[in-house]
Amino acid sequence: MKYQAVKGMADIFGDEARRYSALESLARAVGSRYGYEEIRTPLVEPTELFVRSIGEATDIVEKEMFSFPGPGEKSLSLRPEGTAGVVRAYLQHSIYAQQGISRYYYMGPMFRRERPQAGRRRQFHQFGVEALGICHPAIDVEIIDLLIRYLEDSGLKGWELGINSVGCSTCRPDYRKKLIKYLTEYQEELCDLCVRRTASNPLRVLDCKNPGCRAVLVNAPKPAEYLCDECDAHFREVQGLLEALAIPFSVKPFLVRGLDYYTSIVFEVSGPSLGAQDTVAGGGRYDTLIEELGGPDLGASGFSIG
């Protein structure tokens, strides 16, 4: 054949296309059942949007985005995730001024320049929900409940929910200093990537899968040990609400997310039967992102699958 699909970007047809359609229909049904409405954002956004929201020292921004010059040489990028575009639309159209809590779900293709492997494509499809304009712990539990309902209705068995709190702008700086101090003492035992991250993005070291790094982290300070009173109370209430709904979970003290905009609660759902790439979905709060992108000081929470 003279022409083939770009490496890491697959054609979807036949039974696979039918499975995609079924999962998309289920996403719409479950999202609507919980009071979420669909939002569709462009595939292309200003690169600066992702740099400001995801974080300049993240893998996505440093090496995974498909970026190119736009009109007037302004850099544009294919969207690598969905939250930033939803928040941009929320602010651009002043949706926050028109209603109290805004609940949205989205789905569609995302793009990351990753090494293609089992379970990872450079063009992949994502389903996510976002609840904007509220800080209450109940909204975090609401979206977790929605996520679990969707996964169970789609046929996932034996899922495991892990939660943690990574603090906020009040308490995280102190934790960050303690973590950097600890990691600096073990630089010779860390992988090269974690050595670089120690100064630029130390929380990402907590997510490293390298056995040597995992051994170093056993005695590392934990984010939840340095929470301010507000973050601690929020974390405890989320746990209490999950217990009230009989949603099983475990507190994972080193759980973080790979995007800088997360604050306070973070969570992941894994399927142990899926092998090495067992993380199915993840999310959490991002209370400062709306303000970071020029909007009012409002809370937000969400998750993504894909």
Side-chain angles (χ1 to χ4, degrees):
M1 288 291 295
K2 185 175 181 180
Y3 301 107
Q4 297 186 7
V6 174
K7 186 176 182 181
M9 301 184 181
D11 299 309
I12 299 171
F13 58 95
D15 288 342
E16 186 177 14
R18 284 186 281 274
R19 287 194 293 270
Y20 268 73
S21 293
L23 290 171
E24 289 168 352
S25 295
L26 178 61
R28 290 188 172 91
V30 174
S32 298
R33 194 185 314 159
Y34 280 73
Y36 288 70
E37 62 179 332
E38 186 171 12
I39 185 170
R40 302 189 185 199
T41 60
L43 297 182
V44 177
E45 298 273 9
T47 300
E48 180 63 18
L49 172 67
F50 301 116
V51 174
R52 288 284 300 275
S53 59
I54 296 172
E56 193 168 359
T58 58
D59 288 348
I60 293 176
V61 169
E62 286 184 337
K63 58 186 180 182
E64 294 178 1
M65 289 203 299
F66 288 93
S67 301
F68 50 90
E73 299 304 309
K74 182 178 182 180
S75 180
L76 303 176
S77 295
L78 295 176
R79 62 184 186 189
E81 58 93 51
T83 299
V86 172
V87 174
R88 190 266 312 145
Y90 179 71
L91 296 176
Q92 179 178 337
H93 302 288
S94 300
I95 298 172
Y96 58 87
Q98 304 166 31
Q99 55 194 44
I101 305 172
S102 298
R103 292 175 168 88
Y104 292 110
Y105 69 84
Y106 62 86
M107 64 187 75
M110 310 290 166
F111 304 85
R112 295 186 191 177
R113 197 191 302 269
E114 296 187 283
R115 181 170 63 87
Q117 54 184 297
R120 290 194 177 186
R121 292 174 175 173
R122 289 175 172 169
Q123 177 179 322
F124 59 99
H125 292 256
Q126 197 172 78
F127 163 53
V129 306
E130 313 291 352
L132 307 105
I134 181 172
C135 297
H136 199 279
I139 201 70
D140 303 330
V141 178
E142 176 183 285
I143 65 169
I144 290 173
D145 189 45
L146 189 162
L147 170 60
I148 298 303
R149 173 56 53 203
Y150 175 78
L151 293 175
E152 288 187 338
D153 287 356
S154 66
L156 181 66
K157 306 294 184 183
W159 53 266
E160 296 179 358
L161 170 64
I163 67 170
N164 194 24
S165 177
V166 295
C168 66
S169 58
T170 298
C171 52
R172 192 187 295 177
D174 185 42
Y175 170 68
R176 191 176 186 274
K177 291 178 183 177
K178 296 289 195 304
L179 181 60
I180 290 175
K181 180 179 178 181
Y182 177 86
L183 295 174
T184 301
E185 296 175 359
Y186 293 91
Q187 291 290 281
E188 294 183 359
E189 300 175 44
L190 297 175
C191 68
D192 292 342
L193 180 57
C194 285
V195 169
R196 295 195 299 272
R197 283 175 170 169
T198 295
S200 63
N201 199 353
L203 266 70
R204 293 292 289 125
V205 177
L206 303 182
D207 197 36
C208 184
K209 303 301 187 291
N210 181 289
C213 297
R214 300 307 304 171
V216 168
L217 292 172
V218 169
N219 296 314
K222 303 172 179 62
E225 296 174 339
Y226 295 86
L227 299 180
C228 61
D229 291 344
E230 185 175 349
C231 284
D232 184 62
H234 191 109
F235 192 26
R236 292 178 185 277
E237 188 164 352
V238 165
Q239 294 177 64
L241 290 170
L242 288 172
E243 291 170 351
L245 291 178
I247 298 176
F249 67 92
S250 60
V251 174
K252 295 190 174 182
F254 292 120
L255 174 62
V256 295
R257 299 290 296 155
L259 311 178
D260 282 0
Y261 55 63
Y262 284 111
T263 57
S264 188
I265 297 298
V266 292
F267 60 86
E268 287 184 349
V269 176
S270 59
S273 63
L274 300 178
Q277 301 290 341
D278 65 347
T279 301
V280 178
R285 298 207 59 77
Y286 49 96
D287 289 337
T288 60
L289 179 56
I290 295 174
E291 189 175 14
E292 174 69 22
L293 296 181
D297 182 11
L298 297 172
S301 190
F303 74 75
S304 63
I305 304 174

